[in-house]
Amino acid sequence: MRAPVFGLIDHIGVAVFDLDAALELYEGSFGMPVAHRETVTEQGVEAVLLDVGATHVELLRPLAGETAVGRFLAKRGPGLHHVAYRVDDIAATLAELREGGIDLIDAEPRTGIRRSRVAFLHPRSTGGVLTEIVEPDRGVH
Amino acid sequence: MRAPVFGLIDHIGVAVFDLDAALELYEGSFGMPVAHRETVTEQGVEAVLLDVGATHVELLRPLAGETAVGRFLAKRGPGLHHVAYRVDDIAATLAELREGGIDLIDAEPRTGIRRSRVAFLHPRSTGGVLTEIVEPDRGVH
């Protein structure tokens, strides 16, 4: 047993074909307030972040078929895409994971939604679960 | 917009072939303390609940191939299986969801891990995401 590496589940990422239908469910039926909406061109998605307590749901609509989320949808259909854990210091956490033998998709943090810093771990190291770590921008939770 | 129906993400459920290997990752590499371990015969799984802040990861190993998680693994391989949201009053939440037109797998709450009360919503109503709601037993979070 080592000290905890992650703070808590920050969000789940959900791949969708139809953002309006997904918002009708998450905002309309589930009452989750929309916290943020953003097109993240480098990740090839239009993303909507909704609050559920201190955690979030991130809806992801691909901008094109030949994107990571587009290929996921073509193969698996809509559904759970990834889980993200919140960390205080993403650079320190990445170094700790790398030393622990975890394969990283992102060796360095990159900019995520809402000015967060994010990195993805490789599913081959994480039992098939696409796992993200996220350090929120100061000023948002 | 309606009032929030869920409190926060309670846990993600992760389907695994090998619990020991998964524990090496989640407990060993990620430093998540094991909160509970239980065989839930009626769901056909051996389950391990780990803490990550106020949220959890639930590892699920099927007891046989012909179980829900066994079929999931055969079709998709190991990975994200479901998301669960925490609620204060599961009976009231189920009634609210039913009135909102959400299809339920469990019309009535049943007993989940660690004496919680749980119910699953049908993925056809939830954009392909297998969604659980959970009312923890008093005395645990």
Side-chain angles (χ1 to χ4, degrees), chain A residues 34-101:
Chain A
V34 171
H36 189 74
R37 186 164 186 152
E38 183 176 346
T39 298
V40 189
T41 311
E42 74 170 79
Q43 289 183 43
V45 292
E46 184 180 3
V48 176
L49 199 67
L50 302 106
D51 291 335
V52 51
T55 59
H56 307 281
V57 171
E58 184 181 73
L59 303 174
L60 300 166
R61 184 187 68 79
L63 299 175
E66 280 307 302
T67 57
V69 176
R71 285 188 292 269
F72 177 95
L73 281 169
K75 186 174 172 194
R76 299 204 154 193
L80 284 173
H81 178 263
H82 68 267
V83 61
Y85 298 103
R86 200 174 305 164
V87 300
D88 286 331
D89 181 340
I90 194 170
T93 304
L94 277 178
E96 189 176 353
L97 292 169
R98 192 184 298 114
E99 279 163 30

Side-chain angles (χ1 to χ4, degrees), chain A residues 1 5 13-14 17 26 28 61 68-69 76 79 90 92 118 122 125 128 130:
Chain A
M1 257 308 290
V5 176
V14 176
F17 284 116
Y26 283 93
R61 184 187 68 79
V69 176
R76 299 204 154 193
I90 194 170
V118 306
H122 202 291
S125 277
L130 181 59

Side-chain angles (χ1 to χ4, degrees), chain B residues 10-55:
Chain B
D10 182 85
H11 66 263
I12 52 160
V14 175
V16 307
F17 284 117
D18 181 340
L19 258 183
D20 291 333
L23 281 168
E24 198 170 311
L25 176 69
Y26 284 93
E27 189 183 25
S29 297
F30 292 166
M32 298 183 188
V34 171
H36 190 75
R37 186 163 185 150
E38 183 175 346
T39 297
V40 189
T41 311
E42 76 170 78
Q43 290 183 41
V45 291
E46 183 180 3
V48 176
L49 200 66
L50 302 107
D51 291 336
V52 50
T55 59

Side-chain angles (χ1 to χ4, degrees), chain A residues 1-16 25-34 52-57 72 76-83 85 96-97 100 102 121 125-131, chain B residues 1-16 25-34 52-57 72 76-83 85 96-97 100 102 121 125-131:
Chain A
M1 257 308 290
R2 62 194 301 165
V5 176
F6 307 136
L8 83 167
I9 295 174
D10 183 86
H11 66 263
I12 52 160
V14 176
V16 307
L25 175 70
Y26 283 93
E27 188 183 25
S29 296
F30 292 166
M32 297 184 189
V34 171
V52 51
T55 59
H56 307 281
V57 171
F72 177 95
R76 299 204 154 193
L80 284 173
H81 178 263
H82 68 267
V83 61
Y85 298 103
E96 189 176 353
L97 292 169
I102 303 291
L121 320 186
S125 277
T126 54
V129 176
L130 181 59
T131 301
Chain B
M1 258 308 291
R2 64 193 301 166
V5 175
F6 307 135
L8 84 167
I9 295 174
D10 182 85
H11 66 263
I12 52 160
V14 175
V16 307
L25 176 69
Y26 284 93
E27 189 183 25
S29 297
F30 292 166
M32 298 183 188
V34 171
V52 50
T55 59
H56 307 281
V57 171
F72 177 94
R76 298 204 155 195
L80 285 171
H81 179 263
H82 69 268
V83 60
Y85 298 102
E96 188 175 354
L97 291 170
I102 303 291
L121 320 185
S125 277
T126 54
V129 175
L130 181 58
T131 302

